[in-house]
Amino acid sequence: MAVATVRRILISEIVDPCCKQILQENGIAVTEKQNLSKDELIAEIKGYEGLIVRSATKVTADVINAAEDLKIIGRAGTGVDNVDVEAATKKGIIVMNTPSGNTTSAAELTCGMIVSLSRQIPQAFMSMKAGNWDRKKFMGAELYGKTLGIVGLGRIGKEVAIRMQSFGMKTVGYDPIIPPEVTATFGVEQMSLERLWPLCDYITVHTPLMPSTTGLLNDESFARCRKGVKVINCARGGIIDEAALLRALESGQCGGAGLDVFIDEPPKDWSLVNHPGVVSCPHLGANTKEAQIRCGRDIATQIVEMMQGKSLIGAVNAQVLTAAIAPESRPWIKLGEALGSVGTACAGQVKSEVQITALGQSLKNAAGYLSAAVVVGLLKDSSKNAVNLVNALPLAKEAGVTVCCVSFKSFLNKIASHQSDAAPMLAQSACEVEISANGVSHKVVGSVQGDVPVLLELNGGLFRQPVPLTGNLIFFKALANPQLVPSVAGVLTAAGLQMESFSTSAAIAGEQWCSVGVSSLLGDLNTLKVHVKEALQLSL
């Protein structure tokens, strides 16, 4: 399924021409405007569904809130710290990067930094440029046999490890996500940071900048390192505490640093850059012809394939959509939204707890997007923001709705225990939504029949025939008696409504739920409530 429709894109920085070409070949109008101020960007962005940036454009909350039609922010590169991802998510805007576009370039620059630090190549170069021939001043050290610590073992960290192993370096590392057995396949022994610090002759960082990685190398961690350790940061400024690094360089605890990134770019304080033990570059990690072509091509291709419903790559704030993009997921997303709407009609717009369960083997990867879809249905008529699969869960939290998603595996025994007429449908695949509010619980269960979302169960009432969740629907609970249908038909006729479908649930304690498809909704539901115990209506 197509996640979003994008007709116009603004490119606010210099991106390889192939990016514009690919977009235009696929029917997207492209405008290129570089060096926009914040105010200029706020004024310009209003008419676009897409924005493509590199690292210089600051896509702040003010910019995002001014973007009335924006559906996607594409970062032609890896890091997205120049984009307010939280503000974009809240507004339902996809933030996309190109995860592999600059991998090789960043890895090669890191390796160059390591070699430069080991042999003081830049310092010797500058000395020669000054007319000096001073061999004794620039005594280096071999990399062979030395230990390289790699913090962050994703794409770039892996490529650095492979390249530096060819120099005979021992590679150890730390990554809180990638399993040790995976990193062992490319020659990196994983360990805790406490073990890693004192073992390393060189340490390089390859993590995103986030609260848990800000100041990762600081006074305390430098104190634990081997004296004279050399550090490299070609990832994000701020991962290494710059003040702590300067103190470690001046004390000799750190023997040199290779820095391609800084907290402020350009730096406001040049003390580190001017230190003789520092090799620095002006953020050149992705600054190769190959990386620029790759990043430009990748971001354009990813946007086009997202629009075509082929794939969703690099969506940093919309992982739930990765599974949702498959064509077979579309009816299940419609089902989730419909069940959410039925749930809201039952419970009202109140703070509640919602438990969503994907039932059946075929939905083992669907729990994430089903949960988001249900919340879209719950909130779509009450939220001041347009609700979609990207922002549904954050908006639910803001609205005081607690969402719990339960794995289908926990319910296999429950499914097998159903013996009702609806059990065969339920056993194959279904979505169960239970809403608890003000001490009252409501449960709806639905499935998909021939790509049509259907309701199987409402508050314990299992329908004899699944109810298609389309059009105008009235649900009511009443005592099962022969006079019920004529009484209801009379109310609908008096209101000028036509009955288009009718379905009932199995009776429980003499009561049953009924579903009526009608030409339009009742203007006053109270005219029906005098004949029944409970009643609700909605349009889908």
Side-chain angles (χ1 to χ4, degrees):
M1 59 172 279
V3 174
T5 301
V6 180
R7 300 180 183 87
R8 296 187 65 204
I9 284 182
L10 172 66
I11 300 178
S12 65
E13 297 182 55
I14 296 175
V15 179
D16 191 85
C18 70
C19 178
K20 180 179 180 179
Q21 180 181 347
I22 292 169
L23 294 170
Q24 290 178 329
E25 287 173 351
N26 286 275
I28 301 173
V30 179
T31 300
E32 294 180 291
K33 289 191 177 182
Q34 287 89 40
N35 302 315
L36 295 173
S37 68
K38 178 181 176 181
D39 290 341
E40 289 171 335
L41 181 58
I42 287 173
E44 180 69 28
I45 196 62
K46 297 181 187 298
Y48 298 92
E49 289 96 6
L51 171 65
I52 292 177
V53 303
R54 288 184 62 193
S55 59
T57 302
K58 306 303 178 187
V59 190
T60 63
D62 290 338
V63 172
I64 289 166
N65 291 331
E68 299 168 355
D69 301 317
L70 200 61
K71 294 181 175 65
I72 185 163
I73 299 167
R75 162 74 165 98
T78 304
V80 292
D81 40 292
N82 57 316
V83 179
D84 190 328
V85 177
E86 183 177 349
T89 303
K90 187 175 179 180
K91 205 167 177 187
I93 299 168
I94 297 170
V95 178
M96 176 185 286
N97 69 354
T98 54
S100 59
N102 63 358
T103 297
T104 300
S105 294
E108 289 181 352
L109 180 63
T110 301
C111 297
M113 288 285 196
I114 294 171
V115 174
S116 293
L117 288 172
S118 73
R119 300 302 295 268
Q120 301 184 66
I121 296 171
Q123 294 91 331
F125 166 80
M126 292 304 296
S127 177
M128 290 245 349
K129 286 289 185 181
N132 300 318
W133 183 270
D134 196 346
R135 297 178 64 196
K136 294 181 179 179
K137 183 179 179 181
F138 301 110
M139 180 62 64
E142 292 183 352
L143 294 175
Y144 183 83
K146 303 300 190 300
T147 299
L148 171 64
I150 306 171
V151 181
L153 295 165
R155 292 180 177 86
I156 297 173
K158 174 184 176 180
E159 295 302 320
V160 170
I162 292 169
R163 284 158 175 75
M164 296 318 297
Q165 286 161 12
S166 67
F167 281 80
M169 296 192 83
K170 178 184 178 182
T171 50
V172 298
Y174 169 78
D175 194 296
I177 297 173
I178 300 176
E181 56 268 25
V182 173
T183 63
T185 63
F186 53 86
V188 178
E189 177 189 356
Q190 276 211 56
M191 58 186 63
S192 67
L193 290 174
E194 289 70 21
R195 282 188 59 204
L196 182 143
W197 301 136
L199 289 180
C200 299
D201 301 290
Y202 295 80
I203 297 171
T204 180
V205 294
H206 300 282
T207 72
L209 182 65
M210 56 181 68
S212 61
T213 63
T214 299
L216 190 64
L217 268 164
N218 50 39
D219 287 315
E220 183 180 351
S221 46
F222 273 120
R224 294 180 179 178
C225 289
R226 181 175 294 178
K227 189 173 179 63
V229 65
K230 295 177 175 62
V231 298
I232 299 92
N233 185 4
C234 293
R236 280 292 175 266
I239 299 172
I240 298 178
D241 183 322
E242 293 180 356
L245 173 58
L246 185 59
R247 286 190 289 270
L249 286 164
E250 290 174 344
S251 70
Q253 182 63 20
C254 178
L259 303 176
D260 185 46
V261 290
F262 299 85
I263 294 173
D264 297 308
E265 295 183 354
K268 293 178 181 178
D269 182 350
W270 289 76
S271 301
L272 268 178
V273 176
N274 292 331
H275 192 282
V278 172
V279 176
S280 59
C281 295
H283 203 151
L284 300 181
N287 221 35
T288 64
K289 294 178 181 178
E290 294 84 357
Q292 292 312 299
I293 293 171
R294 202 177 294 121
C295 287
R297 180 196 64 211
D298 287 358
I299 196 63
T301 302
Q302 288 169 204
I303 290 173
V304 169
E305 292 188 348
M306 176 201 70
M307 287 177 53
Q308 295 172 343
K310 292 181 178 179
S311 65
L312 184 63
I313 298 171
V316 300
N317 67 332
Q319 290 86 349
V320 67
L321 294 179
T322 303
I325 202 164
E328 58 269 20
S329 67
R330 187 178 184 86
W332 289 98
I333 292 171
K334 288 183 176 180
L335 172 69
E337 293 181 6
L339 293 180
S341 296
V342 174
T344 295
C346 290
Q349 296 289 353
V350 294
K351 292 184 178 181
S352 57
E353 293 184 3
V354 182
Q355 181 169 289
I356 301 153
T357 309
L359 302 167
Q361 180 69 25
S362 64
L363 295 180
K364 64 180 181 179
N365 297 320
Y369 69 74
L370 274 178
S371 297
V374 169
V375 172
V376 170
L378 284 170
L379 300 181
K380 66 179 181 180
D381 293 328
S382 63
S383 177
K384 59 185 178 182
N385 293 308
V387 187
N388 61 23
L389 296 180
V390 176
N391 64 3
L393 296 178
L395 289 180
K397 184 176 181 180
E398 187 178 89
V401 177
T402 303
V403 180
C404 174
C405 181
V406 182
S407 168
F408 78 101
K409 294 179 181 178
S410 303
F411 282 79
L412 292 179
N413 293 334
K414 175 181 176 180
I415 297 168
S417 69
H418 275 73
Q419 299 297 325
S420 69
D421 292 339
M425 173 66 70
L426 189 63
Q428 292 173 24
S429 50
C431 178
E432 177 184 281
V433 179
E434 188 165 357
I435 302 172
S436 301
N438 298 327
V440 180
S441 181
H442 301 273
K443 184 173 77 170
V444 292
V445 181
S447 187
V448 171
Q449 258 187 1
D451 288 343
V452 176
V454 295
L455 183 67
L456 304 177
E457 177 183 343
L458 175 59
N459 287 337
L462 286 159
F463 286 94
R464 292 187 175 93
Q465 291 295 326
V467 178
L469 290 170
T470 58
N472 302 305
L473 297 172
I474 298 175
F475 295 96
F476 58 87
K477 183 180 182 182
L479 290 170
N481 68 76
Q483 299 302 314
L484 177 61
V485 174
S487 298
V488 171
V491 171
L492 298 178
T493 301
L497 275 61
Q498 294 182 349
M499 187 183 297
E500 298 175 347
S501 64
F502 185 82
S503 182
T504 63
S505 74
I508 301 176
E511 296 179 338
Q512 63 185 171
W513 276 96
C514 300
S515 167
V516 184
V518 290
S519 54
S520 60
L521 298 182
L522 281 167
D524 183 5
L525 194 58
N526 288 322
T527 58
L528 177 62
K529 287 184 177 179
V530 298
H531 300 281
V532 301
K533 289 195 168 185
E534 296 179 45
L536 56 102
Q537 62 179 352
L538 70 159
S539 292
L540 295 169

